[in-house]
Amino acid sequence: MGPADLENIVKGLELYSDERTLLGIGDDAGVYLYGGSVFIHTVDFITPIVNDPYLWGAISATNSLSDVYAMGGIPLNALAVVGFNSCDMDIEVLREVMRGCTDKLREAKTVLLGGHTIDDREPKFGLAVMGVCEDGKYLTQNGARVGDLIALTKPIGVGILTKAIKEGKIKEVDIQEAIDYMLALNDRSAILAKRLESSSCTDVTGFGLLGHAWNIAKKSGVRFSIDFSRVPIYDESVFFIKQKLYPKGALDNYNFVREHTINEGLEWWQLLILSDPNTSGGLLFTFPKDRLPIMNEELTKLHIKAWIIGEVEEGEGLRLYR
């Protein structure tokens, strides 16, 4: 569901919380204090975005773990959430999905404790994950400060590519770079964010880069100024969106932020690609400008990439330029 629909559903609910509830609905994950430890809880599941069931399971697991990393935590254990129609699909397909998932959980040192399955016409797979923030200093979407730099750790445009796969316009083998990024855990990106003393953080998933940027800007009371020319984008995504091939979610996401956006010269396709719903995207975080000199050193140590895509300004909403 789109961000506007989700906001309307939650609005007005009388949610119970207690003195140990550190962060409830509204961020990437919930945060709860118990026995002196800060625990992080999240759940995410997706329909198939690639044709290979092993890859789908691995990407879905990576995507589900991402919210824990976005909060600056470490995933501890998980429960599988499965929707599968065994009458229409061979059970070996689900076995391959689970194999992809368990391989990725092994890499993340996260224990699979169990799960739940339902009979579902459209297959779905994901995880409910519990993590911990060992130092107690969890990251949130609230805290970006004027003058901070804005960093992104993975390219965008995955939604366009998965749409192209479903329509038979491209195959997984043709988008290996995007698949490699989707399979990459955000664990080291979370370490980078903390070492750079991040003031706010989220991961770029279903609401698109602009939707997630708007969430941080709104909660922090600032404006995100984003330079389109510095945003990493998959070449294939640019090719397809110029042919007007993109998921409906991209348009929904842009309409959600449109009235809060100052557009300084971007074309329609550029606005939509910035709004494209991603799966297993990178971390989007802000950090003090005086930490920039150590960024390249940290990237080398961690063997990851990150791009500075803009700066936090006074004001509200988003400002886009090129």
Side-chain angles (χ1 to χ4, degrees):
M1 299 179 70
D5 292 328
L6 292 174
E7 282 192 356
N8 287 332
I9 290 171
V10 175
K11 188 185 301 180
L13 291 180
E14 295 183 10
L15 300 170
Y16 170 77
S17 64
D18 58 24
E19 68 279 1
R20 295 185 290 262
T21 306
L22 301 181
L23 196 62
I25 290 176
D27 214 291
D28 290 304
V31 183
Y32 196 83
L33 177 67
Y34 193 81
S37 296
V38 174
F39 294 106
I40 299 170
H41 301 267
T42 185
V43 59
D44 203 342
F45 57 91
I46 58 174
T47 56
I49 61 167
V50 291
N51 293 320
D52 185 313
Y54 175 89
L55 284 179
W56 174 40
I59 291 170
S60 181
T62 306
N63 181 69
S64 297
L65 294 167
S66 185
D67 284 338
V68 172
Y69 294 128
M71 306 297 291
I74 300 169
L76 298 177
N77 55 63
L79 300 171
V81 180
V82 183
F84 192 78
N85 190 335
S86 56
C87 294
D88 293 341
M89 300 184 73
D90 194 308
I91 199 68
E92 288 301 317
V93 172
L94 181 55
R95 189 187 299 277
E96 278 298 288
V97 174
M98 290 302 304
R99 191 169 68 87
C101 169
T102 53
D103 282 354
K104 191 54 63 172
L105 289 178
R106 185 179 300 106
E107 179 185 342
K109 294 180 173 59
T110 301
V111 179
L112 184 66
L113 294 176
H116 186 70
T117 63
I118 60 169
D119 184 58
D120 198 338
R121 184 167 297 177
E122 184 176 25
K124 301 171 181 68
F125 184 78
L127 300 169
V129 186
M130 188 186 84
V132 67
C133 188
E134 292 183 320
D135 61 5
K137 298 177 182 178
Y138 57 92
L139 302 174
T140 73
Q141 296 173 13
N142 183 358
R145 298 181 292 259
V146 173
D148 282 351
L149 297 177
I150 304 169
L152 179 65
T153 64
K154 291 184 185 180
I156 62 170
V158 167
I160 295 165
L161 297 180
T162 56
K163 173 80 170 177
I165 288 174
K166 289 179 180 178
E167 295 196 5
K169 305 288 186 182
I170 200 170
K171 297 180 180 179
E172 285 97 319
V173 69
D174 300 317
I175 57 165
Q176 192 58 52
E177 180 189 18
I179 288 177
D180 288 344
Y181 269 113
M182 284 191 283
L183 289 170
L185 296 172
N186 278 325
D187 52 350
R188 289 173 292 169
S189 294
I191 293 172
L192 174 69
K194 283 200 162 185
R195 287 181 181 173
L196 294 180
E197 299 178 3
S198 172
S199 52
S200 65
C201 186
T202 189
D203 62 334
V204 178
T205 51
F207 298 164
L209 175 61
L210 294 189
H212 290 287
W214 159 240
N215 278 339
I216 294 180
K218 176 177 62 173
K219 292 174 183 177
S220 303
V222 295
R223 175 183 293 154
F224 264 38
S225 180
I226 297 175
D227 181 350
F228 179 84
S229 68
R230 301 175 73 179
V231 176
I233 303 171
Y234 298 113
D235 292 338
E236 299 88 351
S237 301
V238 174
F239 172 79
F240 283 117
I241 200 166
K242 285 183 176 180
Q243 296 186 36
K244 299 187 177 179
L245 192 157
Y246 56 86
K248 178 179 178 293
L251 185 59
D252 292 340
N253 287 340
Y254 178 64
N255 286 335
F256 178 68
V257 302
R258 187 173 189 169
E259 63 180 288
H260 309 290
T261 301
I262 301 169
N263 177 20
E264 298 182 357
L266 268 63
E267 299 180 40
W268 67 269
W269 67 268
Q270 294 171 319
L271 295 170
L272 287 183
I273 210 166
L274 291 177
S275 308
D276 182 52
N278 282 257
T279 298
S280 193
L283 297 190
L284 175 71
F285 65 91
T286 58
F287 67 96
K289 193 177 294 185
D290 62 11
R291 302 293 289 174
L292 181 60
I294 72 166
M295 184 173 182
N296 286 335
E297 178 184 343
E298 293 297 336
L299 290 172
T300 300
K301 289 179 183 177
L302 295 167
H303 303 288
I304 58 173
K305 292 183 179 180
W307 294 261
I308 304 297
I309 64 170
E311 189 168 334
V312 179
E313 301 177 337
E314 290 185 358
E316 59 183 25
L318 308 171
R319 181 172 75 90
L320 310 176
Y321 64 99
R322 56 179 180 172

